[in-house]
Amino acid sequence: MLKQIGVLMEKEFRLEWRQRYALNGILLYIVSTVFVCYLCFSMRRNQLTPMVWNALFWIILLFTAINAIAKSFVQERAGRLLYYYTLASPQQIIVSKILYNTVLMLGLAALGFIVYAFVLGNPVQDLLLFVANLLLGALGFAATLTLIAGIASKAENSATLMAVLSFPVVLPLLLMLIRVSKNALDGLDRSVSTDEILTLLAIDAIVLAVSWMLFPFLWRS
């Protein structure tokens, strides 16, 4: 099973490398958005408080995640999906896509944070807590949006449906991420963020379990 998941992940990386225009577009989106934020706040000194810095960062990362993961199932043709159906189980399909999107989100989140901190400064006082929160956020975004992308791909207007379905699901995750990163910016003791981190772990675990159990029914349709 692990070998088949590895092969499926390799397939995802090969497809992404062949269609580099999608990845290049996402990278351009991150850099251009950060640059626009810099232009806006450079005209108003002392307006970029840590709270605004935190909110802007997660807004950029959220829309980056939606743009990056929305194509997980849309780019797959019906014939290719039928071919996958004869080779691998639906659990292997969804796990491989979640793992691939997690790796993709980790790369985009790292790049986004580096560019964001370089252009707009880095007010984070507890960098280790912030990075751990970033890892949990990347996993949560990847797992949640991958499953929603699979559901939305069954409809005609998949992009609109994904935006509608993803908001109420991602919102609790986003609120927890903002709280933990705010504590990291303020340099508070890590014990203050224990409840939020446990909540993030629980959300990620629930989404993974739901994907494992429900995706086979979606895959058969």
Side-chain angles (χ1 to χ4, degrees):
M1 180 176 180
L2 294 177
K3 184 178 180 180
Q4 289 180 324
I5 292 176
V7 172
L8 290 171
M9 286 186 65
E10 182 182 358
K11 181 266 301 179
E12 295 289 341
F13 282 106
R14 288 179 179 271
L15 287 177
E16 190 66 51
W17 182 251
R18 291 176 182 176
Q19 302 173 356
R20 288 189 295 273
Y21 62 88
L23 182 60
N24 293 335
I26 296 171
L27 297 178
L28 179 62
Y29 170 80
I30 294 176
V31 175
S32 60
T33 306
V34 173
F35 184 68
V36 169
C37 293
Y38 168 75
L39 293 179
C40 293
F41 287 98
S42 64
M43 299 177 183
R44 297 184 178 183
R45 299 293 180 182
N46 301 324
Q47 292 295 316
L48 187 60
T49 62
M51 184 177 296
V52 176
W53 188 97
N54 189 32
L56 283 176
F57 176 77
W58 285 108
I59 289 173
I60 293 173
L61 199 60
L62 173 62
F63 284 98
T64 301
I66 293 176
N67 291 329
I69 301 176
K71 58 183 178 56
S72 295
F73 290 91
V74 176
Q75 66 181 1
E76 303 281 7
R77 297 180 180 178
R80 185 185 298 171
L81 292 176
L82 182 61
Y83 178 64
Y84 294 159
Y85 191 86
T86 62
L87 295 180
S89 66
Q91 287 87 354
Q92 294 170 349
I93 297 290
I94 191 65
V95 169
S96 64
K97 286 188 175 292
I98 289 176
L99 290 177
Y100 165 75
N101 287 327
T102 300
V103 174
L104 179 63
M105 276 305 306
L106 287 175
L108 294 175
L111 176 65
F113 176 66
I114 292 172
V115 175
Y116 193 74
F118 177 77
V119 175
L120 296 175
N122 183 16
V124 180
Q125 299 186 35
D126 192 345
L127 187 59
L128 184 59
L129 178 61
F130 189 86
V131 171
N133 185 50
L134 206 60
L135 295 176
L136 293 175
L139 176 60
F141 284 149
T144 303
L145 296 176
T146 300
L147 179 61
I148 295 175
I151 298 174
S153 64
K154 301 298 180 180
E156 293 182 0
N157 197 349
S158 58
T160 303
L161 182 60
M162 183 173 178
V164 173
L165 293 177
S166 62
F167 181 75
V169 179
V170 173
L171 185 59
L173 176 66
L174 187 62
L175 291 176
M176 291 296 105
L177 292 171
I178 292 176
R179 289 181 183 178
V180 176
S181 59
K182 180 63 169 59
N183 294 338
L185 263 69
D186 294 338
L188 301 180
D189 190 83
R190 294 176 184 173
S191 60
V192 178
S193 306
T194 302
D195 293 339
E196 286 80 4
I197 292 176
L198 292 177
T199 303
L200 287 174
L201 290 173
I203 292 175
D204 292 348
I206 290 172
V207 173
L208 291 172
V210 170
S211 301
W212 180 272
M213 291 186 297
L214 298 184
F215 186 74
F217 300 97
L218 180 67
W219 185 248
R220 291 192 190 100
S221 64

